[in-house]
Amino acid sequence: MANIKLKDGSVRSVEDGSTVLELVKQVSNSLAKKVLAAKMDGKTVDLMTPITKDAEIEFLTFEDEDGRWALRHTAAHVMAQALQHLYAKDGIQFAIGPAIENGFYYDIDMEKKLTDSDLKDIEKEMDRIVKQNIPMIRKEISRADALEFFEEKGQSYKVELINDLPEDALISIYEQGDFTDLCAGPHVVSTGKVKAFKLQSVAGAYWRGNEKNKMLQRIYGTAFEKKEDLAEYLHMLEEAAKRDHRKLGKELDLFSLHEEGPGFPFFHPNGMVIRNELINYWREVHRRYGYQEIKTPMIMNRKLWETSGHWDHYKENMYFTQIDGEDYAVKPMNCPGGMLVYKTHVHSYRDLPLRLGELGLVHRHEKSGELHGLFRVRNFTQDDAHLFVTPEQIEKEIQHTIDLFDEVYKTFGLSYTAELSTRPEDSMGSDEIWEKATAALQHALEARGLNYIINEGDGAFYGPKIDFHLRDSIGRTWQCGTIQLDMLMPEKFDLTYVGEDGEKHRPIMLHRVVYGSIERFIGILIENYAGAFPVWLAPVQVKILPITDKHFDYAFDLRKKLFDLGIRVEVDERNEKMGYKIREAQVKKIPYALVIGDQEMQDGNVTLRKYGEKDSQTMSVDDFIKLVQDKIASKEEKY
């Protein structure tokens, strides 16, 4: 008998040689219908894996990342089997077919060039294979047998993969009816588990990602446990395509990207309105929360970056220059400059916590293939702050910071989840310091009652961090805010404060950002609002539409009145039909369009058409002004 410890701490005994699936059924038959894979002593395995010794086993469902991975990996094999059935005569060769985030793909090599229309035929064959509920059978074979099998099948890419494996590597294959693939697994028990799938696109991909190798065809797809979840995901993708910030950024004339500066965005007047409103709001919130604003240089010498550790740990992401024969670096982060500002004064414990905020322009060397609109750029403004605290103030200051985050994210209608990231491999400092810093962050989260997950090894090189993942209006998540606890840089820069005992002590430093990158946050907001910004953020808040030129004087008098009150307003004086003008105001997503005709002039009123609404309403100018001012002051999302 083998003794198995489950995740809840309970222990079950099973006969040696029993499968993990038999164990699951022993626990619960209803659970067995949901479990897709398992972790045995930390390693993800198939449910048909035999149990041969005492072990710790955790059952994995679609709610678990590794459970989703197993289902989607199997979906890739189902697709490969369908491709074999349909295109064997075309001499199809299979390369690799892994699960990936949100789906799977398979790289293939054949003469026939697949198009999106072919995906329907492949899906039909996949559906037939799923209904057959073919078992996924794992077999371990020798290198010689594996080579013989795939050479006989004419699968040269599989042969290459086998030859590249270490001599002592364990080689496994998976059989599903008439299809056999070289694969380490794991998979679900049978093809019947892949009930909800969709093939999405065909793209080109170099074999092994090397442009010197042959270009293969890559078929992308996704799979879910339930059809309703798949439908929801596909709807989200449709919405995301409509909301693409690069597309809307061009249509709404917010920003542009140019070959003359790849990764360096150009903001247009409309985009600058949004940017400046975000900065104004940032300053107003931070003033209330006790921050002081600083500004530090963009270029500083090599010695500073060596002291901070960036020269050794972040050099590949930095830009460099020389001044008077000395090495300088363009700053990728604001923190070293904040250290120097702190050191200009002698500080007492009475000065702490000291909160120094900076809207600092930073530059980072991102690879050209990774650049993506405003989401991945080479220069951006980081809404940084560095908080200098005593050890006793750590938890209270983290709570104070999360209070600020709550207020800001609520303003934009964004909820969040928290993630605690621990020590990475490339880091500096002792284990003791890291354990102390990580425990402080963990205790602050737990004291606040915040649910969080632990992301092992993803901290900054100088300390652990809490990341805040924002959920937008269509359910996507974005990592924006972060709080990083740093006990190392104060040591490196010899920062001190005078304590109550009159002695010098070392402060603790918290790095934190709310927006993260202002550029990226703007991209997120464009997609969150689908370009229809709340009134306070809208580049043009009011568009006045005079029906004919005899209404121009009234329209421009109204424009001046609104403009003088700080409202962003334009007059559409073009000789176009009113229906056209109204439609264009809607296309440009302007919150309020005001139609001006004879009746409005006579009564001193306006006819208001709100964005996204078909009906109009007539109101006095004063009532309209109050409406706009209230929406701006409240930062309300609705018009």
Side-chain angles (χ1 to χ4, degrees), residues 79-80 83 87 92-96 105-110 112 114 122 157 202-203 205 215-219:
M79 180 174 72
L83 288 165
Y87 303 113
I92 187 170
Q93 290 200 51
F94 297 97
I96 57 171
Y105 70 80
Y106 217 117
D107 289 345
I108 60 168
D109 185 6
M110 67 176 181
K112 176 181 170 60
L114 296 174
I122 301 168
Y157 295 100
V202 183
M215 175 73 79
L216 307 179
Q217 297 184 75
R218 175 171 294 179
I219 308 170

Side-chain angles (χ1 to χ4, degrees), residues 47-104:
L47 294 183
M48 299 310 293
T49 302
I51 300 169
T52 57
K53 62 176 183 175
D54 293 352
E56 290 188 13
I57 292 182
E58 177 186 349
F59 303 136
L60 302 173
T61 68
F62 195 77
E63 300 301 313
D64 303 294
E65 183 179 353
D66 287 339
R68 291 192 294 275
W69 209 262
L71 181 77
R72 288 167 174 165
H73 193 177
T74 304
H77 280 230
V78 171
M79 180 174 72
Q81 186 175 18
L83 288 165
Q84 178 177 276
H85 291 173
L86 294 171
Y87 303 113
K89 64 181 185 301
D90 295 292
I92 187 170
Q93 290 200 51
F94 297 97
I96 57 171
I100 55 174
E101 187 177 3
N102 294 323
F104 60 90

Side-chain angles (χ1 to χ4, degrees), residues 126-276:
M126 287 176 69
D127 207 30
R128 194 178 70 81
I129 293 166
V130 168
K131 286 174 181 172
Q132 288 178 324
N133 197 25
I134 304 167
M136 304 289 295
I137 301 171
R138 176 187 170 92
K139 291 184 178 179
E140 294 175 3
I141 61 175
S142 69
R143 175 188 293 271
D145 287 345
L147 285 171
E148 181 182 354
F149 177 84
F150 287 105
E151 283 171 354
E152 187 178 308
K153 294 284 185 182
Q155 294 294 326
S156 61
Y157 295 100
K158 302 296 182 182
V159 170
E160 183 179 331
L161 290 169
I162 295 166
N163 283 326
D164 285 350
L165 290 171
E167 285 295 326
D168 59 350
L170 180 68
I171 297 175
S172 59
I173 58 174
Y174 276 82
E175 293 178 350
Q176 59 193 80
D178 59 5
F179 178 71
T180 301
D181 205 353
L182 176 73
C183 184
H187 287 280
V188 297
V189 293
S190 67
T191 62
K193 288 284 186 180
V194 188
K195 293 175 182 174
F197 60 86
K198 177 70 177 174
L199 300 187
Q200 295 166 288
S201 63
V202 183
Y206 290 110
W207 169 233
R208 294 190 155 182
N210 188 334
E211 61 186 13
K212 294 180 181 178
N213 290 336
K214 187 172 183 178
M215 175 73 79
L216 307 179
Q217 297 184 75
R218 175 171 294 179
I219 308 170
Y220 284 100
T222 190
F224 285 79
E225 187 178 35
K226 299 174 183 175
K227 290 191 176 179
E228 52 266 36
D229 292 338
L230 173 63
E232 185 179 325
Y233 175 72
L234 295 175
H235 175 69
M236 185 272 287
L237 289 182
E238 289 175 11
E239 278 295 309
K242 294 178 195 171
R243 294 162 181 259
D244 189 312
H245 75 283
R246 296 165 298 180
K247 172 176 167 285
L248 288 172
K250 184 175 182 180
E251 291 173 1
L252 302 176
D253 198 22
L254 303 177
F255 69 92
S256 57
L257 298 160
H258 300 273
E259 291 181 3
E260 291 82 354
F264 300 96
F266 291 69
F267 277 86
H268 299 193
N270 285 344
M272 284 302 297
V273 169
I274 298 168
R275 185 186 182 94
N276 288 334

